[in-house]
Tab-separated table of all heavy atoms in Angstrom:
chain	number	residue	atom	x	y	z
A	1	LEU	N	-15.172	-14.797	8.368
A	1	LEU	CA	-14.454	-14.543	7.107
A	1	LEU	C	-15.336	-14.867	5.922
A	1	LEU	O	-15.484	-14.014	4.999
A	1	LEU	CB	-13.152	-15.361	7.103
A	1	LEU	CG	-12.268	-15.153	5.845
A	1	LEU	CD1	-11.611	-13.772	5.953
A	1	LEU	CD2	-11.251	-16.248	5.772
A	2	PHE	N	-15.916	-16.075	5.883
A	2	PHE	CA	-16.688	-16.395	4.678
A	2	PHE	C	-18.075	-15.825	4.684
A	2	PHE	O	-18.594	-15.451	3.639
A	2	PHE	CB	-16.677	-17.944	4.443
A	2	PHE	CG	-17.445	-18.788	5.430
A	2	PHE	CD1	-18.851	-18.795	5.429
A	2	PHE	CD2	-16.798	-19.613	6.303
A	2	PHE	CE1	-19.559	-19.580	6.291
A	2	PHE	CE2	-17.508	-20.419	7.178
A	2	PHE	CZ	-18.905	-20.390	7.177
A	3	PHE	N	-18.727	-15.763	5.884
A	3	PHE	CA	-20.103	-15.255	5.911
A	3	PHE	C	-20.181	-13.783	5.522
A	3	PHE	O	-21.073	-13.364	4.820
A	3	PHE	CB	-20.686	-15.449	7.293
A	3	PHE	CG	-22.146	-15.183	7.362
A	3	PHE	CD1	-23.108	-16.024	6.783
A	3	PHE	CD2	-22.594	-14.008	7.978
A	3	PHE	CE1	-24.438	-15.726	6.848
A	3	PHE	CE2	-23.987	-13.711	8.018
A	3	PHE	CZ	-24.865	-14.570	7.446
A	4	LEU	N	-19.185	-12.988	5.964
A	4	LEU	CA	-19.160	-11.566	5.636
A	4	LEU	C	-18.351	-11.255	4.394
A	4	LEU	O	-18.160	-10.096	4.008
A	4	LEU	CB	-18.643	-10.755	6.803
A	4	LEU	CG	-19.497	-10.766	8.086
A	4	LEU	CD1	-18.873	-9.921	9.173
A	4	LEU	CD2	-20.938	-10.314	7.813
A	5	GLN	N	-17.792	-12.313	3.794
A	5	GLN	CA	-17.005	-12.175	2.550
A	5	GLN	C	-15.884	-11.188	2.715
A	5	GLN	O	-15.647	-10.291	1.871
A	5	GLN	CB	-17.899	-11.806	1.364
A	5	GLN	CG	-19.044	-12.789	1.080
A	5	GLN	CD	-19.853	-12.438	-0.101
A	5	GLN	OE1	-19.389	-12.606	-1.271
A	5	GLN	NE2	-21.049	-11.954	0.133
A	6	LEU	N	-15.143	-11.394	3.796
A	6	LEU	CA	-14.007	-10.507	4.078
A	6	LEU	C	-12.779	-10.983	3.244
A	6	LEU	O	-12.698	-12.121	2.847
A	6	LEU	CB	-13.682	-10.565	5.564
A	6	LEU	CG	-14.825	-10.282	6.531
A	6	LEU	CD1	-14.350	-10.389	7.957
A	6	LEU	CD2	-15.427	-8.877	6.236
A	7	SER	N	-11.856	-10.083	3.073
A	7	SER	CA	-10.583	-10.401	2.344
A	7	SER	C	-9.415	-10.173	3.306
A	7	SER	O	-9.380	-9.215	4.018
A	7	SER	CB	-10.428	-9.545	1.116
A	7	SER	OG	-11.455	-9.698	0.186
A	8	VAL	N	-8.497	-11.113	3.290
A	8	VAL	CA	-7.255	-10.973	4.022
A	8	VAL	C	-6.106	-10.999	2.998
A	8	VAL	O	-5.968	-11.968	2.289
A	8	VAL	CB	-7.092	-12.066	5.071
A	8	VAL	CG1	-5.734	-11.952	5.801
A	8	VAL	CG2	-8.207	-12.067	6.080
A	9	ILE	N	-5.344	-9.947	2.964
A	9	ILE	CA	-4.284	-9.786	1.952
A	9	ILE	C	-2.971	-9.607	2.615
A	9	ILE	O	-2.802	-8.742	3.529
A	9	ILE	CB	-4.588	-8.585	1.021
A	9	ILE	CG1	-5.896	-8.843	0.302
A	9	ILE	CG2	-3.451	-8.344	0.065
A	9	ILE	CD1	-6.324	-7.658	-0.559
A	10	GLY	N	-1.962	-10.399	2.236
A	10	GLY	CA	-0.598	-10.212	2.710
A	10	GLY	C	0.121	-9.207	1.873
A	10	GLY	O	-0.072	-9.050	0.717
A	11	SER	N	1.051	-8.525	2.552
A	11	SER	CA	1.878	-7.489	1.841
A	11	SER	C	3.255	-7.463	2.444
A	11	SER	O	3.407	-7.465	3.674
A	11	SER	CB	1.227	-6.101	1.970
A	11	SER	OG	1.846	-5.124	1.230
A	12	THR	N	4.244	-7.452	1.561
A	12	THR	CA	5.637	-7.457	2.012
A	12	THR	C	6.448	-6.395	1.260
A	12	THR	O	6.490	-6.432	0.074
A	12	THR	CB	6.288	-8.867	1.808
A	12	THR	OG1	5.624	-9.833	2.576
A	12	THR	CG2	7.802	-8.845	2.145
A	13	MET	N	7.002	-5.486	2.041
A	13	MET	CA	7.888	-4.470	1.463
A	13	MET	C	7.247	-3.765	0.270
A	13	MET	O	6.089	-3.420	0.278
A	13	MET	CB	9.243	-5.096	1.144
A	13	MET	CG	10.013	-5.536	2.370
A	13	MET	SD	10.542	-4.186	3.387
A	13	MET	CE	11.736	-3.384	2.407
A	14	GLY	N	8.051	-3.590	-0.808
A	14	GLY	CA	7.559	-2.918	-2.019
A	14	GLY	C	8.655	-2.901	-3.052
A	14	GLY	O	9.762	-3.366	-2.805
A	15	THR	N	8.295	-2.437	-4.244
A	15	THR	CA	9.231	-2.484	-5.343
A	15	THR	C	10.037	-1.176	-5.413
A	15	THR	O	9.762	-0.178	-4.778
A	15	THR	CB	8.484	-2.625	-6.697
A	15	THR	OG1	7.729	-1.432	-6.927
A	15	THR	CG2	7.526	-3.840	-6.641
A	16	ARG	N	11.063	-1.222	-6.254
A	16	ARG	CA	11.891	-0.031	-6.486
A	16	ARG	C	11.023	1.148	-7.057
A	16	ARG	O	11.186	2.296	-6.618
A	16	ARG	CB	13.027	-0.354	-7.454
A	16	ARG	CG	13.996	0.820	-7.684
A	16	ARG	CD	14.989	0.433	-8.747
A	16	ARG	NE	16.085	1.426	-8.877
A	16	ARG	CZ	15.982	2.622	-9.494
A	16	ARG	NH1	14.822	2.921	-10.078
A	16	ARG	NH2	17.004	3.419	-9.507
A	17	ASP	N	10.131	0.797	-8.001
A	17	ASP	CA	9.266	1.804	-8.593
A	17	ASP	C	8.316	2.386	-7.535
A	17	ASP	O	8.035	3.624	-7.546
A	17	ASP	CB	8.484	1.256	-9.766
A	17	ASP	CG	9.345	0.974	-10.982
A	17	ASP	OD1	10.501	1.480	-11.026
A	17	ASP	OD2	8.903	0.260	-11.875
A	18	GLU	N	7.815	1.559	-6.621
A	18	GLU	CA	6.924	2.031	-5.584
A	18	GLU	C	7.685	2.961	-4.649
A	18	GLU	O	7.111	3.938	-4.131
A	18	GLU	CB	6.287	0.868	-4.850
A	18	GLU	CG	5.261	0.104	-5.693
A	18	GLU	CD	4.892	-1.258	-5.202
A	18	GLU	OE1	5.375	-1.636	-4.086
A	18	GLU	OE2	4.205	-1.970	-5.907
A	19	LEU	N	8.923	2.657	-4.365
A	19	LEU	CA	9.748	3.537	-3.526
A	19	LEU	C	9.913	4.921	-4.154
A	19	LEU	O	9.785	5.962	-3.511
A	19	LEU	CB	11.105	2.907	-3.221
A	19	LEU	CG	12.085	3.736	-2.391
A	19	LEU	CD1	11.492	4.155	-1.070
A	19	LEU	CD2	13.369	2.961	-2.209
A	20	ALA	N	10.117	4.932	-5.491
A	20	ALA	CA	10.240	6.192	-6.179
A	20	ALA	C	8.914	6.971	-6.119
A	20	ALA	O	8.909	8.190	-5.873
A	20	ALA	CB	10.622	5.959	-7.646
A	21	ASP	N	7.803	6.246	-6.313
A	21	ASP	CA	6.486	6.883	-6.249
A	21	ASP	C	6.198	7.377	-4.845
A	21	ASP	O	5.597	8.476	-4.695
A	21	ASP	CB	5.395	5.885	-6.699
A	21	ASP	CG	5.468	5.573	-8.178
A	21	ASP	OD1	6.110	6.330	-8.931
A	21	ASP	OD2	4.888	4.518	-8.577
A	22	LEU	N	6.565	6.620	-3.853
A	22	LEU	CA	6.356	7.100	-2.465
A	22	LEU	C	7.078	8.412	-2.215
A	22	LEU	O	6.487	9.306	-1.630
A	22	LEU	CB	6.891	5.992	-1.520
A	22	LEU	CG	7.200	6.439	-0.082
A	22	LEU	CD1	5.916	6.844	0.639
A	22	LEU	CD2	7.871	5.295	0.679
A	23	MET	N	8.293	8.514	-2.620
A	23	MET	CA	9.032	9.743	-2.355
A	23	MET	C	8.431	10.942	-3.152
A	23	MET	O	8.396	12.046	-2.621
A	23	MET	CB	10.510	9.528	-2.684
A	23	MET	CG	11.189	8.596	-1.671
A	23	MET	SD	13.009	8.569	-1.796
A	23	MET	CE	13.218	7.680	-3.323
A	24	SER	N	7.952	10.629	-4.346
A	24	SER	CA	7.234	11.729	-5.111
A	24	SER	C	5.975	12.124	-4.385
A	24	SER	O	5.653	13.312	-4.354
A	24	SER	CB	6.953	11.232	-6.490
A	24	SER	OG	8.121	11.002	-7.247
A	25	PHE	N	5.175	11.152	-3.849
A	25	PHE	CA	3.978	11.468	-3.154
A	25	PHE	C	4.243	12.297	-1.935
A	25	PHE	O	3.549	13.280	-1.649
A	25	PHE	CB	3.248	10.192	-2.797
A	25	PHE	CG	1.943	10.415	-2.107
A	25	PHE	CD1	0.853	10.894	-2.761
A	25	PHE	CD2	1.790	10.184	-0.723
A	25	PHE	CE1	-0.377	11.115	-2.127
A	25	PHE	CE2	0.630	10.415	-0.067
A	25	PHE	CZ	-0.458	10.888	-0.737
A	26	CYS	N	5.299	11.941	-1.181
A	26	CYS	CA	5.656	12.732	0.006
A	26	CYS	C	5.941	14.186	-0.352
A	26	CYS	O	5.508	15.088	0.362
A	26	CYS	CB	6.806	12.077	0.751
A	26	CYS	SG	6.398	10.517	1.599
A	27	ALA	N	6.635	14.375	-1.426
A	27	ALA	CA	7.007	15.743	-1.899
A	27	ALA	C	5.728	16.497	-2.284
A	27	ALA	O	5.543	17.646	-1.919
A	27	ALA	CB	7.986	15.685	-3.025
A	28	THR	N	4.879	15.811	-3.033
A	28	THR	CA	3.658	16.462	-3.531
A	28	THR	C	2.688	16.801	-2.388
A	28	THR	O	2.114	17.861	-2.339
A	28	THR	CB	2.946	15.540	-4.532
A	28	THR	OG1	3.850	15.273	-5.614
A	28	THR	CG2	1.648	16.197	-5.065
A	29	ALA	N	2.568	15.857	-1.436
A	29	ALA	CA	1.603	16.041	-0.327
A	29	ALA	C	2.211	16.811	0.852
A	29	ALA	O	1.466	17.240	1.737
A	29	ALA	CB	1.184	14.661	0.186
A	30	GLY	N	3.508	17.038	0.823
A	30	GLY	CA	4.147	17.806	1.829
A	30	GLY	C	4.234	17.065	3.176
A	30	GLY	O	4.175	17.708	4.243
A	31	ILE	N	4.363	15.733	3.151
A	31	ILE	CA	4.433	14.938	4.398
A	31	ILE	C	5.859	14.410	4.566
A	31	ILE	O	6.570	14.240	3.595
A	31	ILE	CB	3.419	13.800	4.424
A	31	ILE	CG1	3.579	12.875	3.242
A	31	ILE	CG2	2.007	14.385	4.507
A	31	ILE	CD1	2.643	11.687	3.293
A	32	ARG	N	6.229	14.190	5.797
A	32	ARG	CA	7.536	13.726	6.162
A	32	ARG	C	7.451	12.624	7.197
A	32	ARG	O	6.537	12.644	8.035
A	32	ARG	CB	8.414	14.810	6.739
A	32	ARG	CG	8.692	15.992	5.801
A	32	ARG	CD	9.586	15.605	4.668
A	32	ARG	NE	9.860	16.715	3.769
A	32	ARG	CZ	9.141	17.024	2.745
A	32	ARG	NH1	8.052	16.331	2.467
A	32	ARG	NH2	9.427	18.037	1.965
């Protein structure tokens, strides 16, 4: 971890705005 200067990042769920952006991205990219 320290010798290669790696990063470990925790992530939990998301925000209301991110949910709105996600659904817009799915529509734009055509993914389901």
Side-chain angles (χ1 to χ4, degrees):
L1 183 73
F2 69 73
F3 188 73
L4 296 181
Q5 301 183 73
L6 307 179
S7 297
V8 176
I9 297 175
S11 185
T12 296
M13 292 295 291
T15 68
R16 184 186 189 280
D17 289 344
E18 288 163 6
L19 178 56
D21 291 343
L22 162 64
M23 291 190 290
S24 293
F25 180 73
C26 287
T28 302
I31 56 176
R32 298 290 182 273

